[in-house]
Amino acid sequence: DGGITQSPKYLFRKEGQNVTLSCEQNLNHDAMYWYRQDPGQGLRLIYYSQIVNDFQKGDIAEGYSVSREKKESFPLTVTSAQKNPTAFYLCASSRGTFSQPQHFGDGTRLSIL
Amino acid sequence: ILNVEQSPQSLHVQEGDSTNFTCSFPSSNFYALHWYRWETAKSPKALFVMTLNGDEKKKGRISATLNTKEGYSYLYIKGSQPEDSATYLCASAVGVGSSNTGKLIFGQGTTLQVKP
């Protein structure tokens, strides 16, 4: 089945540690996105990429980094500069234009030890 | 940052009731309005993508309307069933220049609970 795979489902980070969340898609979509969800808030965009080797900051990019070396993959690194990383992270992909819906993974829940 | 507002924040209805939610978004530079359904322990799934003023879309018992001039969209559920229980998200598209690509700004969602 085509879809988006996020791993791991749960992740724990120690203070001062960088962690990387994986997102892979086999939908042949050009665009990929990372969102963060906190309780009582909507999805907030961290980074997005419309094409391989290019990405743009979203609304809350500070403390995060991404890469897009392959069309299928868009990993997100939560760096030690992100002071409040505990949240639920969702990855999505789409064909790229606004008339196309986004397809989401199952998410990764990140917690601080 | 654009503000996309959804109301109500939560809703409890009885099985068989019909219900509706509202999504408000900035009407200037409109590109598209998306609706998603997010069930517990699952990933959000697209319901509708609407681009034209006056658009009406329907999928089974769920339908949506769009008014881009005044900046709102309604989502209707006719004869709610327990399996309709979920969080419903709307999102407005923000373009990059004159391009029809860019990012979505999501509302905080409306959580619907349908009691049998």
Side-chain angles (χ1 to χ4, degrees):
Chain A
D1 283 343
I4 298 184
T5 302
Q6 287 188 242
S7 61
K9 194 168 183 176
Y10 298 96
L11 189 57
F12 299 91
R13 193 190 92 166
K14 295 180 181 178
E15 295 285 347
Q17 189 179 48
N18 293 355
V19 290
T20 298
L21 284 58
S22 170
C23 179
E24 303 277 330
Q25 54 103 356
N26 61 4
L27 298 166
N28 199 33
H29 284 169
D30 288 315
M32 295 188 75
Y33 312 83
W34 274 106
Y35 295 95
R36 168 180 171 140
Q37 195 208 23
D38 295 282
Q41 296 199 37
L43 302 180
R44 292 186 292 165
L45 184 65
I46 304 172
Y47 269 98
Y48 64 109
S49 167
Q50 310 255 250
I51 197 168
V52 175
N53 292 322
D54 190 34
F55 49 82
Q56 287 77 42
K57 291 183 180 180
D59 302 314
I60 55 166
E62 187 175 348
Y64 299 97
S65 66
V66 292
S67 63
R68 186 88 188 274
E69 296 176 4
K70 298 186 298 181
K71 189 175 186 178
E72 313 82 63
S73 179
F74 192 39
L76 174 74
T77 296
V78 184
T79 75
S80 57
Q82 173 48 244
K83 296 306 176 191
N84 186 22
T86 298
F88 186 69
Y89 292 86
L90 273 173
C91 178
S93 71
S94 78
R95 294 190 190 277
T97 65
F98 288 139
S99 60
Q100 299 296 322
Q102 293 189 4
H103 297 251
F104 288 85
D106 289 335
T108 293
R109 187 166 297 280
L110 176 62
S111 301
I112 296 296
L113 286 178
Chain B
I1 298 177
L2 292 179
N3 265 344
V4 176
E5 302 286 342
Q6 291 187 246
S7 63
Q9 191 171 349
S10 65
L11 199 52
H12 295 256
V13 301
Q14 289 293 135
E15 182 176 355
D17 288 350
S18 292
T19 187
N20 64 84
F21 329 131
T22 304
C23 174
S24 301
F25 54 89
S27 55
S28 59
N29 294 324
F30 174 81
Y31 287 91
L33 194 285
H34 291 216
W35 281 101
Y36 294 85
R37 175 164 62 196
W38 193 359
E39 297 176 74
T40 302
K42 296 185 178 179
S43 58
K45 296 288 193 290
L47 284 171
F48 306 113
V49 178
M50 309 172 79
T51 58
L52 299 175
N53 185 43
D55 232 356
E56 290 190 31
K57 301 239 177 180
K58 187 174 180 181
K59 186 182 290 189
R61 293 178 292 98
I62 304 178
S63 60
T65 61
L66 179 67
N67 183 322
T68 63
K69 295 186 188 306
E70 296 181 41
Y72 64 83
S73 175
Y74 294 136
L75 188 79
Y76 300 92
I77 302 179
K78 185 178 177 181
S80 302
Q81 300 296 309
E83 58 265 30
D84 296 327
S85 297
T87 296
Y88 292 83
L89 302 172
C90 73
S92 180
V94 178
V96 178
S98 58
S99 166
N100 68 344
T101 62
K103 59 185 184 181
L104 295 181
I105 303 295
F106 280 83
Q108 72 274 40
T110 293
T111 299
L112 172 67
Q113 196 71 34
V114 182
K115 298 176 187 176

